[in-house]
Amino acid sequence: SIASMDMGLLLRDDVFVDFFNTFLNLPVFGQTPIYISDMGRWYLWPELPSHLDPSPAALLAWLEKHRLPHFCKSSLCLHLVLCQRLLGFIRSGEAAELLNWQSADQWLLERCISGSHGMQHFRAFVQGTAGEELVDFWLITERLLGLDESDGSQRDLFLSLVHRLRATHLREGSSVITLCTTIIGSLPKAKHIQSISTRREILSKMQEQALFMIQSYWLPKFFMHCKMGMEEEESCQLLLQEYQEHLSQASWQKPQGLSEPFPTMHIKRSQGVSGPYCSPKAKAEIWALVKEGRDTQELKMATFQVKPERQSGPAGNTEELYLDKDALGLISQQSEHPANTAFGGKRGATFPGRPQSSAEQNLENLCKEKIFSDLLSSASLAQLPSLKKPVKTLDFLPWALSAEACAGQPFRDFLQCQNRSMETHLLDLWHDLEEFLPVVLDSSRENRFFLRHLIGEKICKTYLEEDSTERLPLETRTLVGLWNSLICGEFSPWIFRAQKEICKLLCCLYEEFLAEDDRMFLQFMAPGSDVPMPKVPGHAAGRWEHFHLSQRMNQSLKLSQALHGTRSLEGISSKHWQLLGARDLQKGGSIQAEMKLLL
C-alpha cells in the first residue's frame, strides 16, 4: 500500500517522514536529501548548481520512482508498518478501555514510540525477553507474506525466510509456539508447495496473535518503563511537564488532524554552488574527512583496545578528539560485546592456541583495520582534519555496502539490470557474511545457536560447495578458510579477507551505479539542461559541512543497522532518554535528534 501511494500524501505523515529520512541518508546512494516537514523544506546533498531552479514536483517524481520502491523492500519499511500498527492500537478506544489509558497517556506513548528511534528504543526494551521473539517473528512474517513464492526472483528469499522461521520461532518451546498452540498444530511442512494458501493463512493468524500480545502486554510495560526513565532525565522534564498538564485536564483530548495548514513544499536553493554535479566526488570528500580523522588519532594498536568515548562539552571546548566506536557501522561487533573474546583475552589482538603464520598476521591486521575504521563522534570545528589526501571509491565501499543491505539493495538491482550474475553472487555473499558476524559474535542474541549454524551452512551450500553454480573469483585460501569455519557456525577472520576481496571486484561497478544514480536524478531535476558529469567537484564544501553530513549519514546507518539486525541493539541508557527529549518528528526527527546531542 505504501508503494502505491502518492509521495505528496505520504510526506504528510510525520512518522513516515522520519523513517524515510533515515532511509534517504544511507550512504549507499548518490543523492542523500533530507526533508524538514515543519518548514516544508528539502535540503539536497550534493546540491545542484546554483543556476538551476529545481522543482519540488520533479523531486517527488524522482523519489517515487528511484527511492520509494527500494524503501518498500527495506527493514526500515517493515518497522514503519509495525510502528503504524502500534500507533493505531494506542490511539484506539479499545486500548483506552482495555488498559485504562487517558488521552494524555496515549499522547505520551505516541511520543515515545514514534519514528525509527522510537522503534529502536522499543526493541531495546524487549531485548532478551519473549517480546523480542514476538517482534522478530512479526517482522519476518510480514516480509514473508508480502512475497510471491511462485515468482522465481522472490522464491529464494521466500524459502530462506521460511527456513529461518522454522529454525527459530516455529521450533518447539519458542514463545511463538507457546502463544499460538491452538493453530500451530495444523501448520503444513514448509516444503509442501500444495499447501501455500493454508500455510499463509495460518502464519497470518499467528502473526495477528503475536501482534495483539505485543500491543496489549509489551506496550503497557514499555509505557511504564518510559515514564520511570523520563523522570530521572533532565532533558525530558519539559515533555513530562506537558504530560502532567494534559493529565490534570480531565477533558483534554489529543487534537485530531492538523491544527495548522501544511507549509508550501520547496527546495533550499544552493548558495554559490557552481560547476557540475557529481555525487561520487562529494562522497569522496566526506570519506576523506573520516579517513583523515581516523589517521590522526593515537591508536594503541598493540593492545587492540578502543578508547572509551569521552564526555565532552559543547563543540569548541573539547580538548582532545576520541573515536566513536560505533561509527559508520564498519566496526565489528566484537569490539562492543562479550563475544569479542574470539580475538583472545580481553579484546587482545592475539589469536590464542598456536603460533601465528604470516597469513594469520595479515588477517589480524585486517581485523584491526576494520575495527579502527571509525568516525569522529565529538570534535571541535577547529580540530577537524584538513582534506589533503585523495580518497578512492574502494576506501568507502564497505561503508556503502553496509548501508546497501538496509536500503532495499539498490546496488544489487543495478547489477541484475546489467546482467552481472557473478557480481550479484559476490554481493550476496558479502551481505550474508555481514549478517553472520553479529549473530556469531553477540552472545546475547536471541536464537544465536540456531541462527549461526543456519546462516553458516547456507553460505557454504550457496557459495562454497564445489557443485555451486559458479566458482567464486576469490583466493583459494580465502574460500578454504571460510568453509572450515562457517560449516561449523564459527567466527573466522577470513570473513574480513573475503569481504575485502569482494570490494575490490565490485568497486568499478559501484562507481557506475553512482554515475547512473546521478544521471537519473539530473533527468528529473534538470531536464534538457544537459548538465555535464564532471571529473572534478565543482563545489568545495567547508569542513563543518562535511562533518555535519558525515554524522548525518553515520546516524542513519547506525539506526538502520540496529533495526535490520546487522548491528546489535544498544542497551537502555541515558542516551535513549536524551534522544527522546531532543526528538521532534517535524524538525528532522531521529537523525537530527542525534545531531542535537552531538552539537
Side-chain angles (χ1 to χ4, degrees):
S1 61
I2 293 175
S4 62
M5 287 185 67
D6 175 74
M7 180 58 69
L9 292 177
L10 287 171
L11 292 172
R12 296 192 173 202
D13 179 353
D14 290 333
V15 177
F16 170 83
V17 169
D18 186 87
F19 281 94
F20 199 50
N21 271 335
T22 304
F23 166 82
L24 290 174
N25 282 271
L26 285 168
V28 64
F29 296 114
Q31 173 59 229
T32 53
I34 187 170
Y35 181 58
I36 309 299
S37 59
D38 74 333
M39 296 189 294
R41 177 178 294 175
W42 283 98
Y43 292 85
L44 302 180
W45 185 82
E47 293 182 325
L48 287 166
S50 53
H51 69 275
L52 296 176
D53 185 16
S55 158
L59 178 63
L60 295 189
W62 171 76
L63 288 167
E64 202 165 296
K65 183 171 183 180
H66 293 284
R67 290 294 186 264
L68 189 61
H70 296 298
F71 174 73
C72 290
K73 294 190 291 183
S74 71
S75 53
L76 282 168
C77 187
L78 291 177
H79 282 85
L80 166 63
V81 175
L82 178 57
C83 185
Q84 290 173 331
R85 299 287 176 86
L86 297 180
L87 289 172
F89 176 79
I90 292 168
R91 296 164 181 163
S92 68
E94 177 189 6
E97 183 178 345
L98 182 66
L99 303 169
N100 198 27
W101 280 343
Q102 299 182 41
S103 293
D105 298 324
Q106 294 169 311
W107 171 84
L108 183 62
L109 184 51
E110 279 190 45
R111 290 291 299 265
C112 293
I113 207 167
S114 292
S116 48
H117 253 312
M119 288 304 296
Q120 182 196 40
H121 190 172
F122 179 67
R123 293 206 62 182
F125 169 71
V126 299
Q127 190 174 19
T129 69
E132 178 183 13
E133 189 174 344
L134 293 175
V135 170
D136 193 49
F137 170 75
W138 191 94
L139 292 166
I140 294 175
T141 306
E142 182 71 10
R143 182 69 193 277
L144 188 149
L145 294 177
L147 297 172
D148 179 6
E149 66 179 290
S150 63
D151 182 344
S153 63
Q154 300 182 36
R155 183 169 173 76
D156 285 346
L157 176 58
F158 180 90
L159 292 177
S160 175
L161 292 174
V162 169
H163 293 321
R164 190 182 184 106
L165 281 179
R166 291 177 64 82
T168 55
H169 305 304
L170 299 185
R171 61 183 176 82
E172 188 175 352
S174 73
S175 298
V176 175
I177 293 296
T178 303
L179 177 66
C180 304
T181 49
T182 56
I183 54 178
I184 192 61
S186 57
L187 184 67
K189 300 294 182 182
K191 296 179 180 178
H192 294 176
I193 293 300
Q194 68 268 24
S195 303
I196 291 175
S197 60
T198 308
R199 183 169 65 234
R200 283 181 174 273
E201 185 179 344
I202 293 173
L203 280 175
S204 181
K205 288 180 180 178
M206 292 173 66
Q207 186 193 30
E208 288 177 11
Q209 235 174 309
L211 179 62
F212 180 74
M213 180 59 70
I214 295 167
Q215 292 170 333
S216 60
Y217 181 77
W218 290 104
L219 264 185
K221 288 177 74 71
F222 179 66
F223 180 51
M224 296 305 298
H225 154 80
C226 286
K227 286 206 297 184
M228 293 172 62
M230 291 167 66
E231 288 171 359
E232 300 176 6
E233 176 56 48
E234 184 178 350
S235 61
C236 290
Q237 294 310 303
L238 287 177
L239 195 59
L240 276 179
Q241 183 179 343
E242 188 175 356
Y243 166 67
Q244 292 296 340
E245 289 174 359
H246 295 330
L247 206 58
S248 64
Q249 302 168 11
S251 59
W252 183 83
Q253 294 290 324
K254 181 178 178 292
Q256 299 297 317
L258 292 159
S259 55
E260 298 179 4
F262 284 102
T264 302
M265 188 178 293
H266 60 286
I267 300 171
K268 181 182 179 296
R269 292 292 299 272
S270 56
Q271 300 288 328
V273 177
S274 60
Y277 174 90
C278 181
S279 69
K281 292 295 182 182
K283 289 175 80 72
E285 290 177 356
I286 294 294
W287 185 250
L289 172 67
V290 176
K291 189 171 184 294
E292 288 287 332
R294 182 194 65 193
D295 292 344
T296 58
Q297 304 310 304
E298 293 181 2
L299 304 178
K300 295 184 178 180
M301 298 296 286
T303 59
F304 203 50
Q305 181 75 41
V306 178
K307 292 182 180 180
E309 291 181 353
R310 172 175 177 168
Q311 297 296 324
S312 61
N317 296 334
T318 309
E319 297 177 2
E320 211 171 336
L321 303 186
Y322 281 77
L323 294 174
D324 174 0
K325 61 184 171 59
D326 293 329
L328 290 184
L330 294 180
I331 185 167
S332 303
Q333 302 295 329
Q334 66 268 27
S335 64
E336 302 176 17
H337 302 289
N340 58 30
T341 52
F343 290 93
K346 297 180 180 180
R347 296 181 185 178
T350 311
F351 295 92
R354 53 190 169 85
Q356 289 182 301
S357 66
S358 60
E360 289 171 324
Q361 184 63 48
N362 290 337
L363 286 173
E364 177 185 313
N365 292 335
L366 185 60
C367 292
K368 291 177 183 178
E369 176 185 326
K370 191 176 179 71
I371 283 191
F372 289 110
S373 295
D374 294 341
L375 180 65
L376 303 171
S377 67
S378 57
S380 65
L381 177 58
Q383 291 174 312
L384 287 179
S386 60
L387 308 179
K388 297 177 181 178
K389 299 179 182 178
V391 172
K392 299 178 180 179
T393 303
L394 187 60
D395 291 320
F396 59 79
L397 186 55
W399 188 34
L401 295 187
S402 293
E404 209 254 346
C406 308
Q409 299 191 315
F411 181 41
R412 187 183 192 276
D413 287 352
F414 171 79
L415 293 177
Q416 286 188 309
C417 289
Q418 300 291 317
N419 294 318
R420 297 278 192 165
S421 59
M422 173 51 74
E423 287 81 0
T424 303
H425 202 50
L426 286 168
L427 181 61
D428 289 341
L429 173 58
W430 198 98
H431 287 315
D432 285 343
L433 293 173
E434 191 79 351
E435 181 186 12
F436 179 76
L437 279 172
V439 172
V440 74
L441 292 172
D442 183 2
S443 59
S444 65
R445 184 166 290 234
E446 183 77 18
N447 293 311
R448 175 176 177 264
F449 176 81
F450 300 101
L451 282 176
R452 67 189 180 95
H453 284 281
L454 180 72
I455 299 172
E457 290 172 9
K458 172 197 169 187
I459 293 173
C460 289
K461 182 178 180 180
T462 306
Y463 308 101
L464 306 177
E465 285 186 348
E466 291 184 4
D467 59 348
S468 58
T469 52
E470 294 181 81
R471 179 172 174 78
L472 295 173
L474 304 180
E475 291 184 18
T476 301
R477 62 176 184 166
T478 302
L479 296 173
V480 172
L482 283 178
W483 173 274
N484 290 340
S485 58
L486 294 178
I487 197 65
C488 303
E490 295 177 353
F491 166 77
S492 168
W494 289 106
I495 292 173
F496 301 146
R497 170 65 65 187
Q499 288 186 313
K500 189 169 186 176
E501 290 180 28
I502 291 171
C503 283
K504 289 181 179 178
L505 293 168
L506 296 180
C507 185
C508 291
L509 287 166
Y510 179 69
E511 290 177 341
E512 292 181 22
F513 163 75
L514 289 180
E516 179 66 15
D517 195 53
D518 281 0
R519 277 192 288 271
M520 291 299 102
F521 180 67
L522 292 173
Q523 278 185 16
F524 281 83
M525 301 306 293
S529 62
D530 194 25
V531 179
M533 300 298 293
K535 295 184 179 179
V536 293
H539 169 56
R543 290 186 299 164
W544 174 249
E545 184 182 356
H546 282 125
F547 176 67
H548 184 280
L549 288 164
S550 64
Q551 284 295 310
R552 198 172 85 192
M553 288 185 281
N554 178 39
Q555 303 309 333
S556 170
L557 181 54
K558 287 169 61 178
L559 259 176
S560 301
Q561 286 181 317
L563 296 178
H564 184 67
T566 46
R567 171 184 295 276
S568 295
L569 289 161
E570 298 175 359
I572 302 295
S573 66
S574 61
K575 183 182 177 182
H576 285 88
W577 309 117
Q578 292 168 12
L579 287 169
L580 176 57
R583 188 169 69 238
D584 186 336
L585 296 190
Q586 294 190 338
K587 298 182 185 296
S590 297
I591 54 178
Q592 290 294 85
E594 290 268 9
M595 292 300 299
K596 286 182 183 178
L597 295 188
L598 173 66
L599 299 178

